[in-house]
Amino acid sequence: NAGVTQTPKFRILKIGQSMTLQCAQDMNHNYMYWYRQDPGMGLKLIYYSVGAGITDKGEVPNGYNVSRSTTEDFPLRLELAAPSQTSVYFCASSYRGGGTNSPLHFGNGTRLTVT
Amino acid sequence: DQQVKQNSPSLSVQEGRISILNCDYTNSMFDYFLWYKKYPAEGPTFLISISSIKDKNEDGRFTVFLNKSAKHLSLHIVPSQPGDSAVYFCAAIPSGTYKYIFGTGTRLKVLA
């Protein structure tokens, strides 16, 4: 049971380039999330999804896009990379979503540097 | 607007003693609180949670206390072990939402 798998682990982008961060889970979880972690700033929610075909913005969605065509996959797209997007990105999933005893399961992160 | 705050960026404790990590929040609509532990180069892992209708929850060496009037949450680790050295995040979920709001983290170092 792999849990939440994120690829790639590391990436360096030039300003203006695009890329997709991949996230897949094999736990049949309905709810999936993307967070970014900046030094001293904790984890900020970028986007989340409550099921296939349904996505919604979190605290810091600008500069990102997501899609959820299947239950298993929740890719995060950066269209025009900027230095402010240098961060560690974490994907997470849960069975029931917030407000219930259903904690988030996290992947090991993607470290992205934009120069 | 930081709704969940961990005001101590770091904490050092001797092995065998109690570690107390604190978390304050501003939103009275949070109805579920969680603690996560994070090692370097790994994702956070779930430790313990508490519903807003309770004031204490225990799981082995870990106890979470909730003081709703003070909007304060704490995690007690007794006894502390060197393997507990990690960054600890508190998180909260606003009622009726699916969003987990995280604090900024506290780095715990347990000295052998």
Side-chain angles (χ1 to χ4, degrees):
Chain A
N1 190 340
V4 178
T5 302
Q6 292 185 239
T7 55
K9 285 185 169 47
F10 305 94
R11 183 74 186 267
I12 298 174
L13 279 183
K14 293 191 184 306
I15 294 170
Q17 286 186 319
S18 301
M19 79 162 293
T20 299
L21 283 68
Q22 302 292 345
C23 175
Q25 52 90 10
D26 61 0
M27 297 174 283
N28 202 30
H29 284 172
N30 290 317
Y31 298 81
M32 294 188 75
Y33 302 78
W34 275 105
Y35 284 88
R36 59 178 286 174
Q37 184 189 10
D38 301 323
M41 297 299 291
L43 293 155
K44 294 289 188 185
L45 180 63
I46 305 171
Y47 271 96
Y48 66 101
S49 168
V50 303
I54 306 170
T55 62
D56 207 347
K57 295 177 181 178
E59 303 166 88
V60 290
N62 291 343
Y64 306 95
N65 278 301
V66 292
S67 59
R68 184 97 182 270
S69 56
T70 67
T71 299
E72 295 78 20
D73 300 298
F74 190 39
L76 177 72
R77 178 88 178 154
L78 284 70
E79 289 294 349
L80 291 169
S84 61
Q85 293 177 306
T86 294
S87 189
V88 181
Y89 291 83
F90 289 101
C91 179
S93 71
S94 70
Y95 183 61
R96 294 194 193 89
T100 61
N101 192 8
S102 178
L104 292 175
H105 297 258
F106 282 86
N108 283 331
T110 294
R111 183 176 294 274
L112 176 67
T113 302
V114 182
T115 62
Chain B
D1 178 25
Q2 191 70 30
Q3 298 185 64
V4 178
K5 302 176 186 179
Q6 294 177 257
N7 292 318
S8 298
S10 62
L11 174 68
S12 291
V13 171
Q14 284 295 130
E15 181 179 7
R17 306 295 291 268
I18 183 171
S19 295
I20 300 176
L21 296 102
N22 294 304
C23 181
D24 296 299
Y25 61 95
T26 57
N27 188 343
S28 59
M29 297 303 291
F30 287 142
D31 64 1
Y32 212 76
F33 302 88
L34 308 93
W35 283 95
Y36 283 80
K37 174 177 168 179
K38 185 183 180 305
Y39 292 120
E42 294 183 10
T45 54
F46 170 70
L47 259 183
I48 192 169
S49 62
I50 188 168
S51 164
S52 62
I53 63 173
K54 296 188 173 182
D55 53 21
K56 178 181 173 182
N57 188 27
E58 278 182 272
D59 185 0
R61 295 187 298 115
F62 302 94
T63 302
V64 56
F65 295 92
L66 176 62
N67 182 334
K68 288 184 286 294
S69 60
K71 295 191 176 68
H72 181 80
L73 187 72
S74 63
L75 174 69
H76 292 209
I77 306 173
V78 184
S80 301
Q81 300 173 352
D84 296 329
S85 297
V87 177
Y88 289 78
F89 291 98
C90 64
I93 304 170
S95 176
T97 77
Y98 308 108
K99 300 180 183 181
Y100 296 70
I101 309 296
F102 282 81
T104 51
T106 295
R107 184 177 301 277
L108 173 66
K109 189 170 185 178
V110 179
L111 306 168

